Amino acid sequence: MSWHWKELLPVDPFTVRVSDYLTDLDQKVMTLLYQPLVGAVAHSLYMTFWAQLERDQYWSDRQPHRQLMLMMNIPLQTIFEERKKLEAIGLLRTFKETTEEGSSYLYELQKPMNPKQFFENDVLSVYLLNRLGKQKYRQMRDRFAVEVVKEETYTELTHSFDEVFTSLHHSEIVSNLQSETSDAMKFSGEMELLGEESDSLLFSEDEFDFELMKKDLSSFLVPERLLTEGVKNAILKLAFVYRIKPLEMSRIVGQAVLHDDEVDLDVLRKKAQEWYKIEHSSEPPALGLRTHPAEHQTMREKEPETEEEKIIKFYETIPPLTLLEIRSDGAYVAPADAKIVESLLIDYHLLPGVANVLIDYVLYQHDMKLQKAFIDKIAAHWARKKIQKVKDAMLLAREEQEKKALAKEKGPSTPAAKRSQGTRKTTRRDRLPKWLIEEKEKEKNKGTQQNKNKHEDKSEGAKSGQSSENLSNGAGKETTDAQKRFEKMMEELRARKREKGES
């Protein structure tokens, strides 16, 4: 047993911080896997440290160890011994600062291993097996297991990062970053990012010609053994972000080699940033989504013949941000509008071509303004309808417009709306995209033709009536005396009516 009073006193203050986010899964792992190893008291100490942190905070307030003793209702000696268990198993790092005023402690909570790491750990898994027994150990392991995907029965369709996104130059999108790229991406010495190193972005080698780069590289300056998987992955990312061609990349790689031993990745990034700054500007590149996916394009392998097919082709082959620039006569896209486009693509999962239809429809409806509330309402509807083709989106837009026109014809349904309509002096006419106007013209022409047919039917009826009258006049020469008397009586009746009208 260690004499805790030599290292720790009740009056010594402490603070708690976390090195990474702690999740609900971490809590389950702590309770079900670590607690059998360290015991209930050590587990309780860890959870108590965790509870010191407010939501979305990573440092706790400063307080003395006496407060910890009162909270857990255990002596300082026990806290000291249980703390060592947490340190030994990798759940806690302890730091001590000694000043003239005394000693203070910093407890940094470490994330527990994830279930896969834990059960593949030769030490901890065997220790847990001994504690729980074979049957309970297997039950616990199965609890954290998921069914294996039989890849032979599936075809993977996962898209790589560079298949979905494209790197945009500063001239193609407004950037809010005013500082140098390298300076903006650096932290001061007193700051660090939460989390462990991890990279799940996939990049396809089809977009970058490694063989051409290797041929341009001098084998004396950069031996092929230096092009490790890590270096290749870094080259792919930098080439994608900064749009660097293989021949240009070979020169940048050559500048990042240190003493023929390795390619320094930090130097590689710095050289790539410097190249981009010289070639383009100090503004960092931004990301923009690619055009409509090929599998959902209807005009990909077809030459447009009609005006509608040309419009569909246009929507399918242009990014939404570029569409906004075209509608602005080449002016920069406002950051607020760019966020709306980003929301359509990311939040509502609309495909780029479908987003183009929605953007154009809203622009012409609201005097070339993007009304976010109106956009969100339609986007949510289209997302629920799972619209993936541009033609279907255009059809829905037409239906929306027809409903709106029908509602206007019917007029307001409530008395208040009617009064409001009565006091309105002018009526705003909606501007529409050309493809919507053409559709309305077709409907109008169709209605005109129907009216024309009705008019012709009436004319025919009049002619037939006139013909009947002529026939009756012709036959009148042979009418009987009774018919003549009836006609005379009708004439007298009409005369009386005329007299009453004059009086």
Side-chain angles (χ1 to χ4, degrees):
M1 178 184 293
S2 302
W3 297 102
H4 70 277
W5 51 266
K6 293 183 178 180
E7 300 186 30
L8 187 62
L9 297 174
V11 294
D12 290 340
F14 73 93
T15 53
V16 180
R17 76 179 293 264
V18 289
S19 61
D20 200 352
Y21 295 102
L22 298 174
T23 65
D24 292 339
L25 178 61
D26 295 329
Q27 185 173 358
K28 289 182 180 179
V29 170
M30 277 296 305
T31 303
L32 299 176
L33 303 183
Y34 278 90
Q35 185 173 219
L37 305 183
V38 298
V41 180
H43 172 265
S44 178
L45 179 61
Y46 184 92
M47 302 306 292
T48 303
F49 281 146
W50 190 353
Q52 302 303 309
L53 302 167
E54 296 291 340
R55 184 177 181 181
D56 295 332
Q57 289 187 353
Y58 314 107
W59 284 81
S60 72
D61 295 331
R62 188 183 177 96
Q63 56 185 308
H65 280 82
R66 186 185 302 278
Q67 187 67 31
L68 191 61
M69 295 164 59
L70 295 173
M71 190 178 303
M72 298 187 66
N73 194 26
I74 55 176
L76 188 61
Q77 174 69 35
T78 304
I79 291 176
F80 180 68
E81 296 296 334
E82 299 300 323
R83 190 193 80 185
K84 289 193 295 183
K85 292 181 183 179
L86 297 177
E87 294 169 357
I89 206 168
L91 294 173
L92 183 68
R93 296 179 66 192
T94 302
F95 302 91
K96 181 179 180 181
E97 182 182 30
T98 303
T99 62
E100 295 179 356
E101 299 177 355
S103 299
S104 61
Y105 292 83
L106 170 64
Y107 296 132
E108 184 182 83
L109 295 181
Q110 306 297 305
K111 278 178 69 72
M113 295 181 183
N114 60 49
K116 178 178 174 62
Q117 294 171 331
F118 189 96
F119 285 104
E120 289 181 353
N121 187 284
D122 295 331
V123 177
L124 298 184
S125 59
V126 173
Y127 195 6
L128 184 65
L129 175 63
N130 292 334
R131 285 296 180 92
L132 299 181
K134 184 182 294 185
Q135 183 177 357
K136 189 64 178 177
Y137 174 85
R138 287 179 176 175
Q139 291 177 358
M140 196 63 64
R141 185 186 59 189
D142 293 343
R143 177 169 181 166
F144 291 98
V146 294
E147 186 177 352
V148 177
V149 176
K150 297 179 180 178
E151 296 185 1
E152 63 273 8
T153 61
Y154 291 89
T155 301
E156 186 171 4
L157 303 177
T158 307
H159 291 80
S160 63
F161 187 82
D162 54 338
E163 287 178 322
V164 179
F165 293 94
T166 183
S167 183
L168 303 181
H169 288 162
H170 68 286
S171 60
E172 296 175 291
I173 186 171
V174 175
S175 174
N176 292 324
L177 300 176
Q178 301 298 328
S179 60
E180 299 288 343
T181 306
S182 56
D183 292 340
M185 297 175 71
K186 286 181 179 178
F187 263 123
S188 64
E190 298 178 355
M191 299 291 289
E192 66 176 356
L193 287 173
L194 290 172
E196 300 174 354
E197 293 185 4
S198 177
D199 193 350
S200 59
L201 298 182
L202 301 176
F203 286 83
S204 172
E205 294 188 16
D206 297 338
E207 298 293 330
F208 186 82
D209 194 342
F210 261 110
E211 292 302 319
L212 179 59
M213 187 195 75
K214 290 179 183 178
K215 290 178 181 178
D216 191 61
L217 276 172
S218 171
S219 59
F220 296 101
L221 294 176
V222 186
E224 190 169 346
R225 60 180 174 80
L226 298 186
L227 300 178
T228 62
E229 287 300 318
V231 173
K232 286 183 178 180
N233 193 31
I235 290 174
L236 281 175
K237 293 176 185 176
L238 294 172
F240 167 78
V241 172
Y242 296 107
R243 289 186 174 181
I244 305 175
K245 301 299 182 184
L247 297 179
E248 295 162 342
M249 180 60 77
S250 68
R251 298 180 184 87
I252 295 173
V253 173
Q255 297 172 10
V257 176
L258 298 179
H259 311 297
D260 295 336
D261 292 327
E262 63 175 347
V263 177
D264 191 308
L265 297 184
D266 291 333
V267 176
L268 184 65
R269 294 187 189 97
K270 184 178 179 181
K271 294 298 180 182
Q273 292 167 6
E274 290 175 353
W275 175 88
Y276 183 84
K277 180 179 177 181
I278 294 172
E279 293 292 325
H280 301 287
S281 78
S282 59
E283 297 293 343
L287 290 177
L289 284 169
R290 289 186 182 272
T291 54
H292 204 68
E295 61 267 24
H296 297 300
Q297 290 187 18
T298 57
M299 302 299 299
R300 186 185 180 193
E301 299 177 354
K302 181 182 177 183
E303 193 65 28
E305 297 176 359
T306 64
E307 189 66 27
E308 182 173 349
E309 288 180 346
K310 291 178 182 178
I311 294 169
I312 293 175
K313 181 87 169 179
F314 172 75
Y315 285 145
E316 288 180 345
T317 56
I318 192 170
L321 289 174
T322 306
L323 174 68
L324 277 179
E325 286 187 353
I326 292 173
R327 296 293 180 254
S328 306
D329 294 330
Y332 285 131
V333 178
D337 291 346
K339 287 182 179 179
I340 290 176
V341 174
E342 181 182 347
S343 175
L344 291 177
L345 301 169
I346 298 176
D347 298 335
Y348 293 102
H349 303 289
L350 295 185
L351 297 178
V354 176
N356 284 335
V357 176
L358 177 54
I359 289 168
D360 248 3
Y361 175 67
V362 175
L363 283 176
Y364 285 99
Q365 283 279 312
H366 294 87
D367 196 21
M368 303 309 287
K369 296 177 184 176
L370 286 181
Q371 297 285 354
K372 190 174 188 309
F374 187 60
I375 286 178
D376 290 343
K377 182 179 179 181
I378 298 179
H381 176 221
W382 290 12
R384 289 192 294 269
K385 297 278 285 185
K386 295 180 173 58
I387 302 300
Q388 295 181 324
K389 295 185 184 299
V390 169
K391 190 173 183 179
D392 295 339
M394 292 172 65
L395 181 62
L396 267 183
R398 286 174 182 143
E399 291 177 359
E400 290 282 345
Q401 185 59 28
E402 288 172 4
K403 291 178 183 177
K404 195 173 181 181
L406 187 61
K408 281 187 177 180
E409 289 177 4
K410 289 183 177 179
S413 57
T414 62
K418 290 180 180 178
R419 289 195 299 272
S420 175
Q421 188 184 46
T423 58
R424 192 179 300 140
K425 294 182 179 179
T426 59
T427 304
R428 182 177 64 84
R429 297 183 63 187
D430 291 333
R431 299 172 60 192
L432 300 172
K434 186 177 179 182
W435 50 272
L436 257 182
I437 295 174
E438 291 174 350
E439 188 67 20
K440 292 192 73 177
E441 287 295 330
K442 291 179 183 178
E443 294 294 330
K444 184 177 179 182
N445 294 337
K446 184 178 178 181
T448 304
Q449 185 64 36
Q450 291 175 350
N451 291 334
K452 184 178 179 182
N453 294 338
K454 289 179 181 178
H455 181 69
E456 290 176 352
D457 293 341
K458 288 182 179 178
S459 299
E460 290 295 329
K463 287 179 181 178
S464 63
Q466 191 174 8
S467 301
S468 300
E469 187 178 350
N470 292 337
L471 288 173
S472 65
N473 290 337
K477 295 177 182 179
E478 300 177 358
T479 56
T480 62
D481 293 340
Q483 287 175 325
K484 289 181 178 179
R485 287 196 299 271
F486 178 75
E487 289 177 359
K488 187 176 180 181
M489 183 181 65
M490 292 298 296
E491 182 64 29
E492 290 176 355
L493 184 61
R494 285 194 290 269
R496 289 177 185 176
K497 286 184 178 180
R498 282 197 297 269
E499 289 176 1
K500 287 183 179 181
E502 290 176 359
S503 60

